[in-house]
Amino acid sequence: MWKFLHKLASPPHFYDLSAKIIPWFVVPGTILIIYGTIAGLFYAPPDYQQGDAFRIIYVHVPAAYLSMLAYTLMAVSAGIGLIWRIKLSHAVAAAAAPLGAWFTFLALITGSIWGRPMWGTWWEWGDPRLTSELIMLFLYFGYMALRAAIDDTTKADKASAVLALVGAVNIPIIHFSVEWWSSLHQGATIVRADGPAMPTEMLFPLLAMILGFSLVFGALLLGRVRSEVLFRERRSRWVKNVVLASGEQG
Amino acid sequence: MTSREDTMPGLWQGFMAVIRRDLLLAWKRPGDILNPLFFFAMVCTLFPLAVGPSSEQLSISGPGIVWVAALLATLLSLNSLFLSDFEDGSLDQLILSPQPLPLLALGKTVAHWLSAGLPLVLVSPLVAVTFQMPGRTVGVMMLTLTFGTISLSLLGAIGAALTVGLHRGTALLSLLILPLAMPVLIFGARTVALAAANDAVSAGIYFLSAYCILALTLAPFATAAALKISNE
Amino acid sequence: MMEALAMGGYGGYVWSSFGLTLIVVIICVVQVKRRHQQVFSDIKTRLRAMETDQ
């Protein structure tokens, strides 16, 4: 088991293996998203309160879910990299941040579009989830800015790992404080059609979308880690062989 | 001849020595203490000028304004926390010293709070008076600011340690620390606002004190780790 | 058919969210591919420079 993990964490092996794995993420992920989109847009019944506007849930919830998942992944792999000094996990953390930021941005935009017909405004400060997402986006920006400011890769890895861990400790506190803050504000009552009471024709497309987007996210992450690994190991022999073997197609 | 154990200062002595040294340095350069205070007063002046002199409006937004100004003033003073030590090499001495680095980092943070946070808390009633804040609210505000500025010093020390020695560190420091500081701002400002509305304030004060204790236990270790990384 | 696309008056909101999602995913894919090509070409240039040095 340990031997297997050790082999997996070695950059050349990861580089070969990930090329074989990526299609196994992309193909089922795309199929699930296509199914979820068609079923969610045309076959799921309209919500009894929100009508057809609830269908935004099929892109908003996966994006919000991935924004959290990416941060968790980033903090965990940064921590592993810091403690056990595994280079590959620093590369994973570096690759997860921009993807997480994109999905956070997507969750904010779709949440705002959803809010327009529901609240009558593009932005409602009373909604704790949107506000937390916004702070999340700032956390991603801070992480990426720190990485970009440090030239030395090893130093950037370690410094940004400390920041990611401090952020991970703070995220539950931020969520809690934003909930408390919006609960003081009695004006806005937000109706949302999530929860276990959802009928299955609505729920299955949502689950398909969450799973599909997670698979696509996994493929994108692996793709980014591959370039990251190549760049970091650019002086090593195996990278030279990989580049030379690729011939003209690279 | 004395043995090594006799000459080596204890934990407490090392901690106190760091505080004493930083306070002495701050005392010799009073601008470092006064500039954030002037900044705080000026930001508090900007808001009435920007939103208009209506006293009802200002008494509603007063707590928020004081808190935002305090947050920004603390950030301003944080930038120099480790900078001079980094430049003149005393940071190497701190890292190499036999005392545990988290303890010394805590000492630096305490000195920072004493020279930046505490004066802010003491000056805040002057600003509060101009926002028509009643006496009880001023008391709550000073209490929240006390816990809040301690937390901000601890949190900011991590950011200052991460960005020390980087170009354009000031802007980066704000970018790193502001999102993390939002819970402190939320609970600090909302608790003062609740006090102004004669509501219960214990929830906010409990939260701020809990946050402060959490930061006191964890932040020095993160600061020490960040200092070691930045000084490599 | 048009009725299904109009989404009971919410069509603009629903379609724009799905469209934006598609755009963001495409941007992510393009970024991954471009980065990979960029790293490849950087390394190739370096290797060529090293060969001419020798």
Side-chain angles (χ1 to χ4, degrees):
Chain A
M1 178 68 190
W2 276 113
K3 209 175 168 188
F4 169 74
L5 277 180
H6 208 265
K7 203 179 165 197
L8 183 70
S10 92
H13 191 257
F14 167 82
Y15 190 80
D16 285 343
L17 191 68
S18 58
K20 289 175 197 135
I21 288 178
I22 286 178
W24 291 94
F25 280 77
V26 173
V27 175
T30 316
I31 293 171
L32 278 170
I33 290 175
I34 291 172
Y35 157 72
T37 308
I38 293 171
L41 283 178
F42 302 113
Y43 292 101
D47 184 64
Y48 74 103
Q49 271 177 322
Q50 306 193 4
D52 285 313
F54 97 98
R55 297 184 198 280
I56 296 175
I57 202 174
Y58 294 116
V59 286
H60 175 72
V61 168
Y65 168 75
L66 283 178
S67 70
M68 316 262 173
L69 183 78
Y71 202 95
T72 316
L73 198 68
M74 186 177 98
V76 168
S77 43
I80 291 174
L82 201 61
I83 296 168
W84 286 292
R85 294 162 199 273
I86 298 173
K87 280 191 217 156
L88 185 65
S89 59
H90 280 307
V92 172
L99 284 176
W102 270 116
F103 281 100
T104 312
F105 171 74
L106 190 63
L108 273 175
I109 293 286
T110 53
S112 172
I113 293 175
W114 195 357
R116 177 67 200 167
M118 290 302 111
W119 307 315
T121 53
W122 291 106
W123 185 263
E124 173 57 60
W125 281 109
D127 182 46
R129 283 180 250 191
L130 273 187
T131 312
S132 303
E133 281 294 331
L134 184 62
I135 301 179
M136 192 82 157
L137 187 64
F138 293 152
L139 285 174
Y140 277 119
F141 285 162
Y143 179 88
M144 290 192 287
L146 181 65
R147 243 183 200 291
I150 307 176
D151 298 325
D152 178 48
T153 315
T154 322
K155 200 169 159 184
D157 281 342
K158 289 184 190 165
S160 59
V162 171
L163 183 69
L165 290 177
V166 173
V169 173
N170 264 276
I171 282 179
I173 303 174
I174 292 172
H175 279 284
F176 168 69
S177 61
V178 172
E179 291 273 341
W180 179 80
W181 165 76
S182 68
S183 71
L184 295 178
H185 176 68
Q186 294 294 324
T189 47
I190 297 120
V191 195
R192 274 198 180 174
D194 46 15
M198 220 182 213
T200 47
E201 307 93 272
M202 280 186 185
L203 187 63
F204 278 165
L206 181 61
L207 294 178
M209 287 297 252
I210 292 177
L211 190 60
F213 270 99
S214 307
L215 288 171
V216 168
F217 173 84
L220 288 168
L221 184 73
L222 283 177
R224 270 187 181 270
V225 177
R226 279 164 63 83
S227 329
E228 193 70 39
V229 163
L230 266 193
F231 179 72
R232 284 161 184 242
E233 305 266 311
R234 60 189 177 277
R235 290 191 181 83
S236 69
R237 179 171 292 276
W238 73 268
V239 169
K240 192 178 158 187
N241 293 338
V242 164
V243 172
L244 290 178
S246 77
E248 296 309 307
Q249 47 176 295
Chain B
M1 257 174 94
T2 50
S3 69
R4 200 171 124 79
E5 277 70 26
D6 291 334
T7 51
M8 204 173 89
L11 292 180
W12 179 249
Q13 281 159 299
F15 177 68
M16 289 309 285
V18 169
I19 296 180
R20 203 177 302 121
R21 170 178 168 275
D22 271 27
L23 286 182
L24 199 66
L25 282 174
W27 186 251
K28 286 192 174 156
R29 273 183 306 181
D32 285 4
I33 299 181
L34 290 175
N35 287 352
L37 286 182
F38 290 143
F39 180 79
F40 174 66
M42 270 185 262
V43 171
C44 287
T45 318
L46 288 181
F47 277 92
L49 291 178
V51 299
S54 142
S55 61
E56 301 106 73
Q57 205 180 354
L58 286 179
S59 65
I60 293 173
S61 43
I65 295 170
V66 174
W67 255 94
V68 170
L71 178 57
L72 295 178
T74 312
L75 271 182
L76 187 73
S77 60
L78 273 167
N79 187 45
S80 57
L81 181 53
F82 297 111
L83 193 62
S84 59
D85 286 353
F86 177 75
E87 279 167 352
D88 67 13
S90 26
L91 198 56
D92 296 316
Q93 303 291 320
L94 280 184
I95 292 174
L96 289 175
S97 79
Q99 323 289 345
L101 188 57
L103 188 80
L104 301 180
L106 182 64
K108 297 274 303 174
T109 317
V110 169
H112 172 263
W113 182 74
L114 287 174
S115 62
L118 187 60
L120 210 68
V121 175
L122 297 177
V123 163
S124 63
L126 286 179
V127 174
V129 167
T130 65
F131 289 119
Q132 276 85 31
M133 235 183 242
R136 173 173 175 266
T137 316
V138 173
V140 172
M141 182 194 70
M142 289 180 75
L143 191 63
T144 59
L145 274 179
T146 309
F147 285 129
T149 46
I150 296 175
S151 311
L152 290 177
S153 288
L154 287 160
L155 205 56
I158 305 174
L162 283 174
T163 54
V164 71
L166 294 180
H167 303 293
R168 300 182 298 278
T170 321
L172 189 59
L173 175 65
S174 323
L175 200 59
L176 302 187
I177 292 308
L178 279 177
L180 297 175
M182 281 182 195
V184 180
L185 176 78
I186 288 173
F187 273 94
R190 297 315 295 166
T191 303
V192 183
L194 286 178
N198 276 319
D199 263 329
V201 293
S202 50
I205 292 173
Y206 287 149
F207 174 86
L208 282 170
S209 48
Y211 191 93
C212 191
I213 290 168
L214 182 73
L216 268 172
T217 32
L218 295 183
F221 293 96
T223 310
L227 278 178
K228 273 187 192 154
I229 293 164
S230 291
N231 205 44
E232 263 169 17
Chain C
M1 184 61 194
M2 284 313 286
E3 216 171 288
L5 293 183
M7 297 278 168
Y10 295 123
Y13 302 115
V14 175
W15 287 111
S16 60
S17 334
F18 275 76
L20 277 168
T21 308
L22 186 66
I23 291 172
V24 167
V25 171
I26 289 173
I27 291 175
C28 287
V29 173
V30 169
Q31 276 186 341
V32 169
K33 299 227 157 171
R34 266 175 126 185
R35 173 89 183 128
H36 206 249
Q37 278 168 2
Q38 195 195 335
V39 171
F40 249 87
S41 61
D42 281 2
I43 296 172
K44 262 189 184 163
T45 334
R46 243 176 51 87
L47 286 178
R48 265 194 218 114
M50 272 161 63
E51 273 166 30
T52 47
D53 277 351
Q54 277 161 9

